[in-house]
Amino acid sequence: MPSSPLNITQIPALRVPIIDPRTGLISREWYLFFFSLFNLSGAGSNTLSLADVQVGPADSFISTQQTVVDTALQALGVSPDEPGWASSQGQIEATLQSFGVAPTDAEWMAQQLSVFKGLDALAVAPAYTPQVPDMRYGVFSDTTTQTAAAINTAYAVTFNTTDLSNGVYIGTPTSRVYVDRLGIYNFQFSAQLDQAAAAAHDVYIWADINGTTQPNTGSKVTLVGNNAALIAAWNFVFRLNAGDYFRLMWSTSNTACQISSAVAAAPVPAIPSVILTVTDNIGITR
């Protein structure tokens, strides 16, 4: 039964990055290309030698083994008068011998040069490794009490403290929380609400992206009784582009309602008026 034809994948265009900047992993186009090369070279099961895959004889332009090694080392910035010169030559020869290539072989010089070219190419590393995901996160809070000057008016919650930050940061004004990379972000907040009024009053909270109120993000919290207090805490998830910003918005039906802070009083630490934790917890989708 004849074998099925190999699916040969063309080399990706120059504009396609090897490492996808949104995932930190190899891009799909380059993965398919390398996978195609892997299959074309026998999928790890052939017995090809370096001589079998060598393209073009080297002896047409390099006359001796020593000249090849010297030229390659100089191309890598190693000078003949440096202490590492001799050891570098020995390492190359030992590597080729481990592949079963002897100094008497006709392709010896060309294979040495090929090894050097390969090592030189490997010297260029990606910006970050796929094995260690480059996560985005930020932890912010505010140590002041935030009030409303007028009822039923939108106010943006502000932050004056950054506890942790990598790619997520407070902008100007300090109500804006920016991200520096495309991703799906989780915004988790807690706000310390209270009021100095006897009747029941409402506090409304919602999300804003780039100055635009996000639909279906509003919630209502009711404070009942004088000095009533509670914690409002939930989260929002948004897909953001690099340079987008998030704002936590609020309004109230009575100016006696506020987002309050408190100083430390043993054994309790200080109470921020609001805490916001941002994580790139889902990753990237196309």
Side-chain angles (χ1 to χ4, degrees), residues 32 35 44 56 75 122 128 145 155 160 175 177 181 201 214 242 267-268:
L32 293 175
F35 185 71
L122 291 175
Y128 49 88
T145 295
Y155 293 95
N160 64 6
S175 58
V177 178
R181 188 173 71 182
H201 299 107
Q214 298 305 291
V268 182

Side-chain angles (χ1 to χ4, degrees), residues 55-103:
V55 179
D59 54 5
S60 61
F61 60 92
I62 302 177
S63 60
T64 67
Q65 170 186 324
Q66 187 63 47
T67 303
V68 175
V69 175
D70 292 352
T71 302
L73 286 172
Q74 288 173 340
L76 294 177
V78 181
S79 173
D81 57 359
E82 293 181 5
W85 178 271
S87 62
S88 298
Q89 287 180 307
Q91 290 174 7
I92 293 300
E93 294 179 2
T95 300
L96 291 173
Q97 287 174 344
S98 69
F99 292 135
V101 182

Side-chain angles (χ1 to χ4, degrees), residues 4-11 32-37 39-40:
S4 58
L6 290 173
N7 181 17
I8 301 176
T9 302
Q10 299 297 321
I11 187 169
L32 293 175
F33 172 68
F34 289 131
F35 185 71
S36 174
L37 294 182
N39 285 327
L40 287 170

Side-chain angles (χ1 to χ4, degrees), residues 19-20 23-26 125-135:
I19 300 299
D20 191 326
T23 63
L25 305 174
I26 187 170
Y128 49 88
T129 62
Q131 292 81 7
V132 182
D134 188 12
M135 303 301 294

Side-chain angles (χ1 to χ4, degrees), residues 38-49:
F38 175 71
N39 285 327
L40 287 170
S41 61
S45 61
N46 63 40
T47 58
L48 287 176
S49 68

Side-chain angles (χ1 to χ4, degrees), residues 163-218:
D163 296 306
L164 291 172
S165 177
N166 182 41
V168 182
Y169 56 94
I170 298 173
T172 302
T174 59
S175 58
R176 297 183 179 185
V177 178
Y178 285 87
V179 300
D180 72 347
R181 188 173 71 182
L182 169 68
I184 299 179
Y185 292 85
N186 180 44
F187 295 85
Q188 177 76 45
F189 79 93
S190 64
Q192 179 74 54
L193 305 178
D194 65 23
Q195 71 164 358
H201 299 107
D202 299 323
V203 173
Y204 300 89
I205 299 175
W206 66 95
D208 173 291
I209 301 296
N210 297 332
T212 301
T213 296
Q214 298 305 291
N216 302 316
T217 61

